[in-house]
Amino acid sequence: MQNTNPNLISSADATIFAWATAAGRAGVAVLRISGAQAFAALDYLGVAMLPPARHATLVSLKHPLTGAVVDRCLALIFPAPHSFTGENVVELHCHGSRAIMAQLTEILCSMPKARLAEAGEFSRRAFYNQKMDLVEAEGLADLIDAETTAQHIQALRQMEGHIGAQYHDFRKRIIHALALMEAYIDFPDEEIPDHVTREARDEITALKAEIDTALDDHGVGEKIRDGLSVVIIGAPNAGKSSLLNALAKRDVAIVSDQAGTTRDLIDVHLTIDGYALTLTDTAGLRETVESIEGEGIRRATVRASQADLKIALFDIVSYPKLDSQTLALIDTSSCVALSKCDTHSVSDIAPIQGHKPLLLSAQTGQGIDQLIEWMKSKIHSQMTGAHTPIITRARHRVALQLASESLGRFLTGSDLELMTEDLRMAAQSIAKITGQIHVDDVLDVVFSSFCIGK
């Protein structure tokens, strides 16, 4: 049974192990062992001589009690500190048999001072041993989870330390200004030379501008990581579910002539031009006294107000009569479309809320390609129009906002001690991003999202 005691996560005397490959039948399964007894684990498994460091060596693994061969596999050792965790590490590339995996797990569980690893514990040890900072660790988690090209590029950049290096630079510059100010705190009777305060203010003015520019990125980094939100809105029977199915290229939502069949939000995850997006079908917008449908309409309205893009869909059969609830949600991020154009035709279609309507048919595919092109253009305008983002998570944004506020108070302050405290608070806010200040609740959130064996 996996040990879930959080006090054991960073214990120096525990040797941890886990399968780094997904459970199930496979050609190869990788077992990772890290800790002071990692090399002793090989001896425990019947490998009398350590392989050369970082060289794959064929070994026989044996049961410590019976001497029976469990598997013949490749073994690699990585002596500390030159390993992923900074500790002694062993990797066993075994055959991916469930029986082999179960037997080796049972054997290692019987070894003194060895236990199964917690989720993300290998990466957490790497963080504690200064093999990576917290931003790099988050980049590693994002790289493992990446499903699109944009997510892969951003996660790789973060994991390789490019984003963390910018945060380290921010903090270094704050500390430099802090040192200039603190040099005079112990001498209150001494007047601070003008050039000292001017240098500190110039440094902080430039830095605050850089941080504010990073914050003014329209959430691009988070959108790349989490995906953009595209919501289909319209009256009942406007064809929203049919359009969702057409874009998803599979039957996701129930399509019926009966109005109000969609009561809740239905999400589909798509990739367009290397960017992730979540496409949402919503309840039909109309006045209703039915409580469940009313809740669905409320959720639809809330999701539409939060969406990056909206597709406002109207039934061409009802044109030019258009429902007011859908019209009220149209804005610059909206595409206006008329559905069911294979069953009905209308001449002289006028713009709707300043948008030229797109003519669609989910049955024949008419207009679907044009709708996808509209989404592509909107995605690129939102995602590639800004500078390269450094904010990829909400906690980064909150910390930078707090740092910017502290720097702003410094620039408008007049009391030396309070100004110095503002700089100290700004430096601490930046340090929390990279993990230079260990905040246990932040670490728990970051590393608990990792898979076992990483």
Side-chain angles (χ1 to χ4, degrees), residues 261-322:
T261 51
T262 301
R263 298 294 186 93
D264 206 347
L265 306 174
I266 301 176
D267 292 334
V268 174
H269 300 287
L270 303 177
T271 300
I272 293 182
D273 267 16
Y275 293 98
L277 61 84
T278 300
L279 183 66
T280 303
D281 183 18
T282 60
L285 304 177
R286 65 175 175 180
E287 297 293 335
T288 181
V289 295
E290 209 270 313
S291 60
I292 296 178
E293 184 181 10
E295 175 60 20
I297 293 171
R298 186 195 68 80
R299 294 185 183 188
T301 304
V302 170
R303 181 67 67 89
S305 67
Q306 299 170 343
D308 298 301
L309 303 174
K310 293 188 283 289
I311 301 171
L313 199 61
F314 299 95
D315 188 339
I316 196 171
V317 177
S318 303
Y319 184 83
K321 184 179 179 181
L322 304 172

Side-chain angles (χ1 to χ4, degrees), residues 54-382:
R54 292 174 293 281
H55 282 73
T57 305
L58 184 64
V59 299
S60 293
L61 305 181
K62 300 176 182 179
H63 197 287
L65 296 180
T66 66
V69 174
V70 178
D71 193 21
R72 282 173 60 79
C73 68
L74 292 178
L76 296 97
I77 69 168
F78 304 89
H82 306 296
S83 68
F84 175 75
T85 61
E87 304 171 330
N88 288 338
V89 170
V90 171
E91 281 193 3
L92 299 175
H93 295 231
C94 307
H95 293 95
S97 156
R98 290 187 179 92
I100 291 173
M101 295 174 71
Q103 197 167 168
L104 288 175
T105 300
E106 183 180 356
I107 290 170
L108 289 176
C109 280
S110 70
M111 178 180 163
K113 295 186 178 180
R115 61 174 174 80
L116 282 164
E118 300 280 341
E121 189 168 0
F122 289 90
S123 298
R124 187 162 188 158
R125 289 192 173 195
F127 167 75
Y128 277 120
N129 291 323
Q130 299 183 345
K131 305 298 289 185
M132 64 173 71
D133 65 27
L134 201 53
V135 175
E136 291 168 355
E138 290 172 326
L140 174 59
D142 290 347
L143 184 64
I144 293 170
D145 293 336
E147 296 180 350
T148 70
T149 302
Q151 288 172 342
H152 166 243
I153 292 172
Q154 176 169 278
L156 193 62
R157 179 171 172 265
Q158 183 169 338
M159 188 193 72
E160 290 179 342
H162 299 296
I163 293 177
Q166 196 152 355
Y167 289 129
H168 286 297
D169 178 65
F170 287 170
R171 183 169 180 267
K172 180 180 177 182
R173 289 158 63 184
I174 294 172
I175 290 174
H176 176 256
L178 181 61
L180 292 174
M181 303 300 291
E182 283 188 330
Y184 291 89
I185 281 215
D186 294 331
F187 305 97
D189 296 331
E190 296 288 333
E191 186 176 347
I192 303 178
D194 289 340
H195 72 87
V196 172
T197 55
R198 185 169 59 251
E199 181 179 349
R201 286 184 182 277
D202 288 347
E203 180 78 70
I204 296 306
T205 299
L207 178 57
K208 186 178 186 303
E210 289 182 38
I211 291 176
D212 290 344
T213 297
L215 288 167
D216 188 26
D217 64 350
H218 307 289
V220 171
E222 293 110 307
K223 288 176 183 178
I224 289 175
R225 179 176 178 269
D226 301 327
L228 284 86
S229 171
V230 183
V231 174
I232 306 173
I233 55 174
N237 278 352
K240 300 184 298 301
S241 297
S242 295
L243 178 58
L244 180 81
N245 292 342
L247 290 169
K249 297 182 179 179
R250 57 191 174 93
D251 290 335
V252 179
I254 296 174
V255 176
S256 170
D257 291 335
Q258 180 180 340
T261 51
T262 301
R263 298 294 186 93
D264 206 347
L265 306 174
I266 301 176
D267 292 334
V268 174
H269 300 287
L270 303 177
T271 300
I272 293 182
D273 267 16
Y275 293 98
L277 61 84
T278 300
L279 183 66
T280 303
D281 183 18
T282 60
L285 304 177
R286 65 175 175 180
E287 297 293 335
T288 181
V289 295
E290 209 270 313
S291 60
I292 296 178
E293 184 181 10
E295 175 60 20
I297 293 171
R298 186 195 68 80
R299 294 185 183 188
T301 304
V302 170
R303 181 67 67 89
S305 67
Q306 299 170 343
D308 298 301
L309 303 174
K310 293 188 283 289
I311 301 171
L313 199 61
F314 299 95
D315 188 339
I316 196 171
V317 177
S318 303
Y319 184 83
K321 184 179 179 181
L322 304 172
D323 68 281
S324 59
Q325 290 179 294
T326 303
L327 286 171
L329 294 174
I330 295 174
D331 56 23
T332 56
S333 67
S334 303
C335 174
V336 176
L338 297 175
S339 65
K340 306 177 186 179
C341 290
D342 57 314
T343 63
H344 197 77
S345 61
V346 176
S347 58
D348 299 326
I349 296 177
I352 299 174
Q353 302 281 66
H355 298 264
K356 181 181 179 181
L358 184 63
L359 304 182
L360 295 179
S361 169
Q363 296 299 319
T364 66
Q366 177 186 348
I368 298 297
D369 288 343
Q370 290 92 323
L371 179 59
I372 292 174
E373 287 301 317
W374 174 81
M375 285 192 283
K376 285 182 182 179
S377 67
K378 287 292 185 179
I379 288 170
H380 283 285
S381 66
Q382 289 195 27

